[in-house]
Amino acid sequence: QVQLVESGGDLVQPGGSLRLSCAASGFTLDYYATGWFRQAPGKEREGVSCISSSDGRTYYADSVKGRFTISRDNAKNTVYLQMNSLKPEDTAVYYCATDPPVCPRPLFPSDFGSWGQGTQVTVSS
């Protein structure tokens, strides 16, 4: 069974950090690009970051560039999103997704066919 499971979401103060995990089962994650998306209440789902298969090239939305880092641990079949200097506007449900071999630019949710259930990130004092 193909499955993606996100974890690591939490309530954190502005300026804080979180690391999100996206664990895959039923398939080998590094055969595909893996993207992170987020959706805040009342807003459309937006692409945050992506890491391509094979060469591991990364992509970041301008809103998170310099603060977020995407990485992959092939031994654990897991992709991570390290989020630093968090801001209240980062509050959203974060999803990981996969399917294409390379990261499309820009990141459109419609380019990704396999999704996790999401994990809530709340940045608030």
Side-chain angles (χ1 to χ4, degrees):
Q1 182 182 1
V2 173
Q3 193 174 19
L4 292 171
V5 178
E6 302 96 334
S7 62
D10 206 345
L11 169 65
V12 64
Q13 292 187 344
S17 298
L18 284 174
R19 188 178 79 159
L20 305 184
S21 299
C22 172
S25 60
F27 69 104
T28 301
L29 194 56
D30 71 342
Y31 288 175
Y32 308 92
T34 301
W36 282 99
F37 295 80
R38 66 186 181 186
Q39 188 166 19
K43 294 188 177 182
E44 293 187 354
R45 192 169 298 189
E46 64 171 348
V48 174
S49 183
C50 186
I51 184 167
S52 289
S53 63
S54 65
D55 62 8
R57 289 189 180 185
T58 58
Y59 164 85
Y60 298 95
D62 287 343
S63 58
V64 305
K65 203 170 293 184
R67 299 188 298 123
F68 290 11
T69 303
I70 191 170
S71 62
R72 184 171 59 217
D73 186 332
N74 293 337
K76 295 183 178 180
N77 213 23
T78 299
V79 168
Y80 302 98
L81 186 68
Q82 177 67 43
M83 307 188 296
N84 298 329
S85 302
L86 283 161
K87 305 175 181 180
E89 51 263 43
D90 295 318
T91 295
V93 178
Y94 282 71
Y95 301 88
C96 66
T98 189
D99 255 2
V102 296
C103 296
R105 300 188 182 196
L107 290 178
F108 287 126
S110 58
D111 290 324
F112 293 75
S114 300
W115 292 81
Q117 84 290 347
T119 185
Q120 177 71 48
V121 172
T122 303
V123 184
S124 175
S125 55

